[in-house]
Amino acid sequence: MIQEINTALEPQTKELLNHSLYSKISTPEHLRCFMEHHVFAVWDFMSLLKALQEKLTATTTPWVPVGNPELRYLINEIVLAEETDMNLDGKRQSHFEMYLDAMENSGASKIKIEEFVAQVIHGTDIFLIIATSDLPKSIKQFLKFTFEIVAEGKPHKIAAAFTFGREGLIPDMFTSIIKNIQQKFPEEDLKHFKYYFDRHIELDADEHGPMAFKMVEELCENDPIKKSEVKEVAKEALESRIALWDGILDEIETSVLV
């Protein structure tokens, strides 16, 4: 089933992996621009993950066993690493918090993401926050897609958005981009940013990728309707990611960052 979906997604996957954004990121300013956009994808990824945890495990009391034990294990294992991984300094952090630290060390602005999260903490409706924010259109559409899937509440659709088109599809070449910029601009502190990507590539390849694919298969339960819905959501997730990349590229090309 997964192979069938991946085959159907080949046009979008190819477009994403060959996106011209990668060849444009050649200076610290470019990288900071990327981070200021991409951090929203790092943040909303956790909402997909937590939505799955709520659907597939017991998160309320009194506790009772819920659903498939294999799925409980899969999702809890991913939560453990994403929410409480070991950072570069040997301390526990979520990957989102690691990313914020990487932004700070590299000189990227955290103002927009911190203002956004502050409104979330305040309890403002997420769709209202997105609609009224002054974020670039590409970020707003990315977030809107994510939270529409979460709001629909169908585990197989949430799993599809979670699994396809997320961090695992950022190619290894991005580590090379960071390394090249660091060599050209040795005064830049990018070690935390490089660690974030290295850690994600390691986890996605060895653990989270295969686990997520297995989760999607389990949730589809050989239901042709669910399989079709998963394929459609996966396609939309990739297209949403491509649009996010387009937005970053546009800002780099139309600003003084060129």
Side-chain angles (χ1 to χ4, degrees):
M1 171 192 156
I2 297 300
Q3 182 56 51
E4 179 187 335
I5 293 174
N6 281 329
T7 299
L9 296 176
E10 279 182 1
Q12 290 80 19
T13 301
K14 192 172 293 184
E15 183 178 355
L16 181 60
L17 294 179
N18 294 301
H19 201 286
S20 54
L21 172 65
Y22 304 120
S23 64
K24 288 290 185 180
I25 301 175
S26 58
T27 70
E29 289 77 17
H30 296 162
L31 204 56
R32 285 191 278 270
C33 177
F34 174 86
M35 296 171 85
E36 289 164 14
H37 286 242
H38 180 237
V39 66
F40 286 90
V42 176
W43 172 75
D44 84 337
F45 175 81
M46 288 302 299
S47 289
L48 287 169
L49 179 57
K50 284 298 181 178
L52 283 169
Q53 191 177 35
E54 288 178 2
K55 296 292 182 182
L56 303 180
T57 74
T59 57
T60 57
T61 57
W63 179 88
V64 292
V66 171
N68 183 327
E70 189 68 20
L71 291 181
R72 294 201 300 262
Y73 172 78
L74 291 175
I75 201 65
N76 284 330
E77 183 69 19
I78 296 174
V79 167
L80 180 66
E82 294 288 343
E83 197 167 31
T84 55
D85 202 5
M86 196 74 77
N87 69 13
L88 183 61
D89 302 316
K91 297 179 180 179
R92 294 289 176 188
Q93 269 189 326
S94 68
H95 285 188
F96 173 65
E97 290 165 312
M98 287 185 200
Y99 203 97
L100 290 178
D101 284 351
M103 291 179 71
E104 185 168 344
N105 288 327
S106 70
S109 173
K110 299 188 295 179
I111 293 174
K112 287 188 181 297
I113 184 63
E114 288 180 337
E115 288 179 346
F116 191 94
V117 172
Q119 291 187 68
V120 173
I121 293 171
H122 185 264
T124 308
D125 176 78
I126 186 61
F127 293 105
L128 181 60
I129 299 173
I130 295 168
T132 58
S133 76
D134 62 352
L135 294 173
K137 182 180 178 181
S138 55
I139 296 177
K140 294 172 80 163
Q141 65 80 27
F142 191 90
L143 294 171
K144 186 170 179 286
F145 169 75
T146 294
F147 286 98
E148 283 175 347
I149 294 295
V150 169
E152 194 174 350
K154 294 184 178 180
H156 63 288
K157 285 192 171 186
I158 299 170
F162 174 87
T163 302
F164 299 93
R166 304 301 296 197
E167 307 310 326
L169 273 174
I170 295 179
D172 292 358
M173 72 174 77
F174 213 93
T175 303
S176 299
I177 292 172
I178 298 170
K179 183 179 179 181
N180 290 338
I181 293 175
Q182 187 74 83
Q183 288 175 341
K184 291 178 184 177
F185 305 90
E187 72 280 4
E188 296 291 329
D189 183 1
L190 302 178
K191 61 181 181 293
H192 289 84
F193 194 44
K194 183 178 183 301
Y195 177 83
Y196 168 85
F197 274 103
D198 287 345
R199 186 67 182 136
H200 248 293
I201 290 168
E202 177 186 355
L203 285 172
D204 286 336
D206 297 338
E207 301 174 35
H208 293 181
M211 293 165 75
F213 286 138
K214 186 174 181 180
M215 176 173 58
V216 170
E217 284 193 299
E218 291 280 349
L219 289 172
C220 281
E221 303 171 313
N222 288 317
D223 183 330
I225 294 177
K226 288 183 178 180
K227 286 181 181 179
S228 177
E229 289 178 338
V230 161
K231 190 181 296 184
E232 184 58 34
V233 169
K235 180 182 176 184
E236 291 175 2
L238 283 169
E239 290 172 344
S240 182
R241 169 72 66 159
I242 291 166
L244 182 66
W245 267 205
D246 289 343
I248 302 172
L249 180 62
D250 182 65
E251 183 162 330
I252 288 175
E253 291 184 330
T254 59
S255 70
V256 293
L257 299 179
V258 178

